Amino acid sequence: MSFSLTLPDRVKVVEVGARDGLQNEPDPVPAPTKVEFIDRLSGTGLACIEATSFVSPTWIPQLADAGEVFRAITRKPGVSYPVLVPNERGMERALEAGADTIAIFNAASDSFNRKNINASIDDAFKRLARVAEIAQAENVAIRGYVSCVLGCPYEGEIDYGVVARVAATMDAMGCYEISLGDTIGVGTPLRACRMLEAVVRDVSLDKLAVHFHDTRGQALANVLASLEFGVRTVDASVAGLGGCPYAEGASGNLATEDLVYMLHGMEIDTGIDLEALIAAGRYITGQMGRAPASRLGRLPEGRRRHRYTT
Ligand code: HMG
Ligand code: MG
């Protein structure tokens, strides 16, 4: 018997815990703690750390301190720090704080969008067109997110053709990367690949990232299937922080530590120091008075490393 897995030598991991994770915390996390958390993440070898979100503080009070946090972090050369921007007001605030990379977002579901950003898909794109125009004029790089790519909390099944259309519009708006989000963690490897198959008809595979919430324990399997499909960029959240306040029941993202353990164990380079990453996850969950949700983060130090002998 033999087997064949078509896997890359290197994967880019995008850390979203400081934004996707902390946006959903019921208790406030003080700005200096967020800054210390992001600075610790910068010391792990991560090349992309989503730092915060310039959305309405009425909608997401947890990140109302976005400007204060972004100004205070120590930006490491070679690391990018995208910030979420929903509209022109958010773009102004991001520019004032000195952001040079933003992330715009839209869903493949009108119902989800109305709850999350108070707009239909098309109306959100009208706002985002203005954001993209300003970003281009100011030389700011744009990342894009498509939410609900494998299911919607309000509409149920999602037409992958709509996912492809939203992703293609972001591509045309100049996004350097488009992250496909399973916001409520309903996907399976088969569905993830069917969705990717639809999207790559319109958007080049090398521009795509995947973003799986781990609500039903499928995230790591979905990543493996996406890697075999040819995706090379994966979003994750240290300590499994996260969720979306406008998607009831959505749990945290795939935990970055567990992802990196799998990648390194498959001889895939990430440039990340796993122990430093675990320490960053333990730091932020310790500040919040709880244990990390990652499997690796909960293992005692002596049991984290495993040496393969064959
Ligand atoms: P709205 O209420 O329709 O906005 O919200 P508005 O334009 O009518 O403004 C209302 C007030 O908010 C005004 O103030 C604005 O100035 C202010 P007032 O005149 O009443 O004093 N305002 C702002 N203030 C600061 N920054 C801003 C801003 N915008 C307006 N940027 C809006 C529309 C889009 C603003 C709102 O719905 C919003 O902020 N939503 C964000 C929700 C959110 O952040 N959700 C989570 C992120 S998405 C996610 O997690 C999914 C992802 O992880 C991928 C996945 O998992 O699928 C990315
Ligand atoms: Mg998310």
Side-chain angles (χ1 to χ4, degrees):
M1 291 280 279
S2 68
F3 69 96
S4 99
L5 282 173
T6 315
L7 294 170
D9 296 331
R10 193 175 173 90
V11 161
K12 178 176 135 196
V13 176
V14 175
E15 171 58 46
V16 298
R19 191 279 306 170
D20 206 345
L22 298 187
Q23 76 181 10
N24 207 33
E25 278 303 313
D27 297 324
V29 177
T33 306
K34 293 174 179 168
V35 172
E36 173 72 23
F37 174 44
I38 295 167
D39 286 348
R40 285 180 186 231
L41 290 171
S42 298
T44 63
L46 280 158
C48 185
I49 302 167
E50 196 169 66
T52 186
S53 179
F54 289 92
V55 296
S56 161
T58 313
W59 287 63
I60 307 282
Q62 292 91 334
L63 301 181
D65 56 7
E68 182 187 348
V69 168
F70 198 80
R71 283 187 191 89
I73 59 173
T74 303
R75 285 199 261 169
K76 195 174 171 188
V79 177
S80 79
Y81 297 89
V83 295
L84 232 61
V85 166
N87 55 14
E88 197 171 340
R89 175 78 194 105
M91 186 67 202
E92 285 163 10
R93 291 174 60 216
L95 286 173
E96 278 161 25
D100 60 13
T101 306
I102 60 163
I104 58 173
F105 55 107
N106 207 342
S109 155
D110 274 322
S111 315
F112 178 80
N113 261 352
R114 288 199 179 93
K115 300 271 186 192
N116 192 43
I117 51 172
N118 203 18
S120 65
I121 299 173
D122 291 344
D123 286 343
F125 269 134
K126 284 181 198 146
R127 291 175 186 164
L128 294 175
R130 179 68 191 130
V131 170
E133 206 175 89
I134 302 170
Q136 267 139 24
E138 298 287 337
N139 223 3
V140 165
I142 317 172
R143 188 168 200 256
Y145 277 110
V146 188
S147 289
C148 299
V149 300
L150 294 172
C152 168
Y154 310 105
E155 292 182 11
E157 296 259 332
I158 287 294
D159 175 354
Y160 300 148
V162 178
V163 179
R165 177 174 74 81
V166 174
T169 307
M170 289 193 164
D171 190 23
M173 288 168 83
C175 291
Y176 70 87
E177 192 167 278
I178 296 147
S179 177
L180 302 167
D182 182 10
T183 318
I184 53 169
V186 283
T188 60
L190 179 73
R191 288 178 183 258
C193 288
R194 284 192 181 142
M195 180 275 296
L196 286 166
E197 207 172 40
V199 175
V200 294
R201 287 190 199 116
D202 294 322
V203 181
S204 154
L205 181 57
D206 59 15
K207 278 198 156 182
L208 298 180
V210 286
H211 177 111
F212 295 112
H213 286 260
D214 202 24
T215 320
R216 290 168 183 76
Q218 305 294 296
L220 208 46
N222 291 341
V223 167
L224 182 56
S226 304
L227 294 180
E228 279 223 75
F229 191 93
V231 171
R232 298 294 174 255
T233 304
V234 181
D235 297 359
S237 178
V238 74
L241 298 171
C244 176
Y246 297 99
E248 201 186 330
S251 70
N253 293 79
L254 169 60
T256 320
E257 304 93 307
D258 298 343
L259 169 68
V260 169
Y261 180 85
M262 180 181 86
L263 295 174
H264 291 181
M266 295 196 304
E267 294 160 14
I268 298 170
D269 186 21
T270 63
I272 296 168
D273 175 341
L274 181 55
E275 284 301 312
L277 189 66
I278 291 170
R282 286 188 163 196
Y283 166 75
I284 191 64
T285 49
Q287 293 293 311
M288 297 188 298
R290 59 167 197 254
S294 61
R295 299 299 176 97
L296 262 283
R298 287 197 302 248
L299 276 181
E301 194 174 344
R303 290 180 50 210
R304 289 207 285 270
R305 280 204 202 104
H306 176 77
R307 286 192 201 290
Y308 290 98
T309 50
T310 53

mmCIF file of all heavy atoms in Angstrom, residues 16 20-21 24 182-185 211-217 219 236-244 249-255 293:
data_model
loop_
_atom_site.group_PDB
_atom_site.id
_atom_site.type_symbol
_atom_site.label_atom_id
_atom_site.label_comp_id
_atom_site.label_asym_id
_atom_site.label_seq_id
_atom_site.Cartn_x
_atom_site.Cartn_y
_atom_site.Cartn_z
ATOM 1 N N VAL A 16 -5.691 35.792 13.669
ATOM 2 C CA VAL A 16 -6.829 36.717 13.787
ATOM 3 C C VAL A 16 -7.374 36.841 15.219
ATOM 4 O O VAL A 16 -8.405 37.473 15.447
ATOM 5 C CB VAL A 16 -7.976 36.324 12.811
ATOM 6 C CG1 VAL A 16 -7.514 36.397 11.368
ATOM 7 C CG2 VAL A 16 -8.552 34.947 13.122
ATOM 8 N N ASP A 20 -10.739 38.811 15.654
ATOM 9 C CA ASP A 20 -11.901 37.908 15.613
ATOM 10 C C ASP A 20 -12.151 37.330 16.998
ATOM 11 O O ASP A 20 -13.301 37.121 17.406
ATOM 12 C CB ASP A 20 -11.635 36.782 14.601
ATOM 13 C CG ASP A 20 -12.907 36.195 14.022
ATOM 14 O OD1 ASP A 20 -13.980 36.433 14.590
ATOM 15 O OD2 ASP A 20 -12.820 35.484 13.008
ATOM 16 N N GLY A 21 -11.068 37.096 17.742
ATOM 17 C CA GLY A 21 -11.198 36.554 19.090
ATOM 18 C C GLY A 21 -11.747 37.579 20.053
ATOM 19 O O GLY A 21 -12.797 37.393 20.668
ATOM 20 N N ASN A 24 -15.400 39.240 20.499
ATOM 21 C CA ASN A 24 -16.515 38.452 21.005
ATOM 22 C C ASN A 24 -16.444 38.191 22.507
ATOM 23 O O ASN A 24 -17.199 37.390 23.018
ATOM 24 C CB ASN A 24 -16.529 37.111 20.251
ATOM 25 C CG ASN A 24 -17.926 36.531 20.190
ATOM 26 O OD1 ASN A 24 -18.902 37.264 20.114
ATOM 27 N ND2 ASN A 24 -18.016 35.218 20.250
ATOM 28 N N ASP A 182 -15.886 30.328 6.992
ATOM 29 C CA ASP A 182 -16.987 29.490 7.474
ATOM 30 C C ASP A 182 -17.345 30.034 8.856
ATOM 31 O O ASP A 182 -16.927 29.520 9.889
ATOM 32 C CB ASP A 182 -16.568 28.019 7.530
ATOM 33 C CG ASP A 182 -17.717 27.116 7.973
ATOM 34 O OD1 ASP A 182 -18.861 27.599 8.052
ATOM 35 O OD2 ASP A 182 -17.455 25.919 8.254
ATOM 36 N N THR A 183 -18.119 31.087 8.854
ATOM 37 C CA THR A 183 -18.409 31.904 10.028
ATOM 38 C C THR A 183 -19.000 31.100 11.180
ATOM 39 O O THR A 183 -18.705 31.361 12.345
ATOM 40 C CB THR A 183 -19.403 33.021 9.608
ATOM 41 O OG1 THR A 183 -18.998 33.521 8.342
ATOM 42 C CG2 THR A 183 -19.488 34.130 10.618
ATOM 43 N N ILE A 184 -19.858 30.140 10.849
ATOM 44 C CA ILE A 184 -20.547 29.389 11.914
ATOM 45 C C ILE A 184 -20.060 27.947 11.994
ATOM 46 O O ILE A 184 -20.688 27.113 12.658
ATOM 47 C CB ILE A 184 -22.085 29.452 11.729
ATOM 48 C CG1 ILE A 184 -22.494 29.012 10.318
ATOM 49 C CG2 ILE A 184 -22.576 30.862 12.029
ATOM 50 C CD1 ILE A 184 -24.001 28.792 10.164
ATOM 51 N N GLY A 185 -18.954 27.657 11.313
ATOM 52 C CA GLY A 185 -18.328 26.331 11.467
ATOM 53 C C GLY A 185 -19.240 25.169 11.143
ATOM 54 O O GLY A 185 -19.311 24.197 11.897
ATOM 55 N N HIS A 211 -10.705 30.338 6.311
ATOM 56 C CA HIS A 211 -10.947 30.888 7.666
ATOM 57 C C HIS A 211 -12.080 30.052 8.271
ATOM 58 O O HIS A 211 -13.258 30.312 8.020
ATOM 59 C CB HIS A 211 -11.331 32.355 7.467
ATOM 60 C CG HIS A 211 -11.710 33.136 8.684
ATOM 61 N ND1 HIS A 211 -10.946 34.153 9.195
ATOM 62 C CD2 HIS A 211 -12.818 33.095 9.474
ATOM 63 C CE1 HIS A 211 -11.541 34.697 10.232
ATOM 64 N NE2 HIS A 211 -12.687 34.073 10.431
ATOM 65 N N PHE A 212 -11.684 29.040 9.020
ATOM 66 C CA PHE A 212 -12.696 28.119 9.541
ATOM 67 C C PHE A 212 -12.918 28.334 11.035
ATOM 68 O O PHE A 212 -11.974 28.223 11.825
ATOM 69 C CB PHE A 212 -12.261 26.667 9.323
ATOM 70 C CG PHE A 212 -12.165 26.276 7.870
ATOM 71 C CD1 PHE A 212 -10.935 25.997 7.281
ATOM 72 C CD2 PHE A 212 -13.307 26.203 7.088
ATOM 73 C CE1 PHE A 212 -10.848 25.639 5.940
ATOM 74 C CE2 PHE A 212 -13.228 25.845 5.743
ATOM 75 C CZ PHE A 212 -11.994 25.568 5.170
ATOM 76 N N HIS A 213 -14.158 28.598 11.405
ATOM 77 C CA HIS A 213 -14.511 28.536 12.826
ATOM 78 C C HIS A 213 -14.728 27.057 13.167
ATOM 79 O O HIS A 213 -15.148 26.270 12.321
ATOM 80 C CB HIS A 213 -15.742 29.409 13.107
ATOM 81 C CG HIS A 213 -15.404 30.876 13.083
ATOM 82 N ND1 HIS A 213 -15.205 31.610 14.221
ATOM 83 C CD2 HIS A 213 -15.175 31.721 12.051
ATOM 84 C CE1 HIS A 213 -14.885 32.857 13.901
ATOM 85 N NE2 HIS A 213 -14.859 32.952 12.581
ATOM 86 N N ASP A 214 -14.409 26.719 14.415
ATOM 87 C CA ASP A 214 -14.321 25.289 14.749
ATOM 88 C C ASP A 214 -15.538 24.776 15.514
ATOM 89 O O ASP A 214 -15.433 23.845 16.302
ATOM 90 C CB ASP A 214 -13.034 25.045 15.563
ATOM 91 C CG ASP A 214 -12.595 23.591 15.485
ATOM 92 O OD1 ASP A 214 -12.960 22.900 14.512
ATOM 93 O OD2 ASP A 214 -11.895 23.146 16.409
ATOM 94 N N THR A 215 -16.668 25.353 15.267
ATOM 95 C CA THR A 215 -17.890 25.088 16.031
ATOM 96 C C THR A 215 -18.239 23.595 16.113
ATOM 97 O O THR A 215 -18.707 23.112 17.137
ATOM 98 C CB THR A 215 -19.066 25.859 15.388
ATOM 99 O OG1 THR A 215 -18.577 27.143 14.982
ATOM 100 C CG2 THR A 215 -20.215 26.050 16.353
ATOM 101 N N ARG A 216 -18.021 22.888 15.028
ATOM 102 C CA ARG A 216 -18.374 21.461 15.008
ATOM 103 C C ARG A 216 -17.144 20.557 14.878
ATOM 104 O O ARG A 216 -17.241 19.406 14.444
ATOM 105 C CB ARG A 216 -19.368 21.198 13.869
ATOM 106 C CG ARG A 216 -20.727 21.822 14.168
ATOM 107 C CD ARG A 216 -21.664 21.855 12.982
ATOM 108 N NE ARG A 216 -22.912 22.536 13.323
ATOM 109 C CZ ARG A 216 -23.058 23.862 13.433
ATOM 110 N NH1 ARG A 216 -22.027 24.670 13.206
ATOM 111 N NH2 ARG A 216 -24.223 24.393 13.756
ATOM 112 N N GLY A 217 -15.978 21.116 15.229
ATOM 113 C CA GLY A 217 -14.767 20.291 15.250
ATOM 114 C C GLY A 217 -14.241 19.892 13.876
ATOM 115 O O GLY A 217 -13.470 18.940 13.758
ATOM 116 N N ALA A 219 -12.669 22.087 11.672
ATOM 117 C CA ALA A 219 -11.773 23.084 11.077
ATOM 118 C C ALA A 219 -10.448 22.503 10.588
ATOM 119 O O ALA A 219 -10.001 22.805 9.472
ATOM 120 C CB ALA A 219 -11.526 24.218 12.072
ATOM 121 N N ALA A 236 -6.211 31.660 11.520
ATOM 122 C CA ALA A 236 -6.452 30.918 12.764
ATOM 123 C C ALA A 236 -6.328 31.890 13.920
ATOM 124 O O ALA A 236 -5.838 33.018 13.767
ATOM 125 C CB ALA A 236 -5.439 29.783 12.903
ATOM 126 N N SER A 237 -6.763 31.425 15.084
ATOM 127 C CA SER A 237 -6.847 32.313 16.238
ATOM 128 C C SER A 237 -6.196 31.609 17.425
ATOM 129 O O SER A 237 -6.640 30.530 17.825
ATOM 130 C CB SER A 237 -8.334 32.551 16.466
ATOM 131 O OG SER A 237 -8.550 33.334 17.564
ATOM 132 N N VAL A 238 -5.146 32.214 17.956
ATOM 133 C CA VAL A 238 -4.411 31.562 19.032
ATOM 134 C C VAL A 238 -5.344 31.299 20.220
ATOM 135 O O VAL A 238 -6.253 32.100 20.497
ATOM 136 C CB VAL A 238 -3.177 32.412 19.423
ATOM 137 C CG1 VAL A 238 -3.582 33.646 20.199
ATOM 138 C CG2 VAL A 238 -2.164 31.606 20.198
ATOM 139 N N ALA A 239 -5.160 30.178 20.862
ATOM 140 C CA ALA A 239 -5.994 29.738 21.990
ATOM 141 C C ALA A 239 -7.436 29.456 21.580
ATOM 142 O O ALA A 239 -8.306 29.274 22.427
ATOM 143 C CB ALA A 239 -5.943 30.753 23.140
ATOM 144 N N GLY A 240 -7.700 29.465 20.256
ATOM 145 C CA GLY A 240 -9.071 29.213 19.780
ATOM 146 C C GLY A 240 -10.035 30.319 20.146
ATOM 147 O O GLY A 240 -11.251 30.107 20.200
ATOM 148 N N LEU A 241 -9.495 31.534 20.359
ATOM 149 C CA LEU A 241 -10.355 32.672 20.714
ATOM 150 C C LEU A 241 -11.348 32.925 19.583
ATOM 151 O O LEU A 241 -11.022 32.707 18.420
ATOM 152 C CB LEU A 241 -9.506 33.943 20.857
ATOM 153 C CG LEU A 241 -8.413 34.008 21.918
ATOM 154 C CD1 LEU A 241 -7.579 35.263 21.701
ATOM 155 C CD2 LEU A 241 -9.015 34.000 23.313
ATOM 156 N N GLY A 242 -12.497 33.446 19.923
ATOM 157 C CA GLY A 242 -13.295 34.008 18.854
ATOM 158 C C GLY A 242 -14.716 33.594 18.693
ATOM 159 O O GLY A 242 -15.280 32.848 19.467
ATOM 160 N N GLY A 243 -15.283 34.125 17.593
ATOM 161 C CA GLY A 243 -16.688 33.947 17.265
ATOM 162 C C GLY A 243 -17.161 35.204 16.580
ATOM 163 O O GLY A 243 -16.370 36.108 16.348
ATOM 164 N N CYS A 244 -18.410 35.249 16.226
ATOM 165 C CA CYS A 244 -18.938 36.474 15.633
ATOM 166 C C CYS A 244 -20.182 36.857 16.415
ATOM 167 O O CYS A 244 -21.102 36.062 16.547
ATOM 168 C CB CYS A 244 -19.272 36.284 14.156
ATOM 169 S SG CYS A 244 -20.028 37.758 13.453
ATOM 170 N N GLY A 249 -24.050 31.227 18.317
ATOM 171 C CA GLY A 249 -23.547 29.851 18.351
ATOM 172 C C GLY A 249 -22.220 29.683 17.642
ATOM 173 O O GLY A 249 -21.606 28.622 17.717
ATOM 174 N N ALA A 250 -21.744 30.713 16.942
ATOM 175 C CA ALA A 250 -20.442 30.598 16.270
ATOM 176 C C ALA A 250 -19.367 30.579 17.349
ATOM 177 O O ALA A 250 -19.322 31.457 18.205
ATOM 178 C CB ALA A 250 -20.225 31.781 15.334
ATOM 179 N N SER A 251 -18.517 29.563 17.318
ATOM 180 C CA SER A 251 -17.470 29.513 18.345
ATOM 181 C C SER A 251 -16.185 30.052 17.752
ATOM 182 O O SER A 251 -16.168 30.601 16.651
ATOM 183 C CB SER A 251 -17.296 28.081 18.838
ATOM 184 O OG SER A 251 -16.712 27.338 17.815
ATOM 185 N N GLY A 252 -15.101 29.844 18.493
ATOM 186 C CA GLY A 252 -13.823 30.387 18.069
ATOM 187 C C GLY A 252 -13.324 29.810 16.752
ATOM 188 O O GLY A 252 -13.822 28.809 16.239
ATOM 189 N N ASN A 253 -12.299 30.483 16.245
ATOM 190 C CA ASN A 253 -11.631 29.986 15.041
ATOM 191 C C ASN A 253 -10.828 28.741 15.385
ATOM 192 O O ASN A 253 -10.555 28.466 16.550
ATOM 193 C CB ASN A 253 -10.617 31.024 14.526
ATOM 194 C CG ASN A 253 -11.281 32.262 14.016
ATOM 195 O OD1 ASN A 253 -11.685 33.101 14.787
ATOM 196 N ND2 ASN A 253 -11.405 32.374 12.707
ATOM 197 N N LEU A 254 -10.405 28.080 14.369
ATOM 198 C CA LEU A 254 -9.405 27.038 14.537
ATOM 199 C C LEU A 254 -8.247 27.616 15.362
ATOM 200 O O LEU A 254 -7.789 28.733 15.104
ATOM 201 C CB LEU A 254 -8.892 26.641 13.145
ATOM 202 C CG LEU A 254 -7.652 25.756 13.101
ATOM 203 C CD1 LEU A 254 -7.896 24.438 13.807
ATOM 204 C CD2 LEU A 254 -7.247 25.528 11.656
ATOM 205 N N ALA A 255 -7.777 26.857 16.372
ATOM 206 C CA ALA A 255 -6.685 27.356 17.217
ATOM 207 C C ALA A 255 -5.360 27.313 16.461
ATOM 208 O O ALA A 255 -4.993 26.278 15.887
ATOM 209 C CB ALA A 255 -6.594 26.504 18.478
ATOM 210 N N ALA A 293 -8.458 27.449 24.627
ATOM 211 C CA ALA A 293 -9.346 26.438 24.044
ATOM 212 C C ALA A 293 -8.573 25.521 23.091
ATOM 213 O O ALA A 293 -9.125 24.547 22.588
ATOM 214 C CB ALA A 293 -10.493 27.117 23.308
#
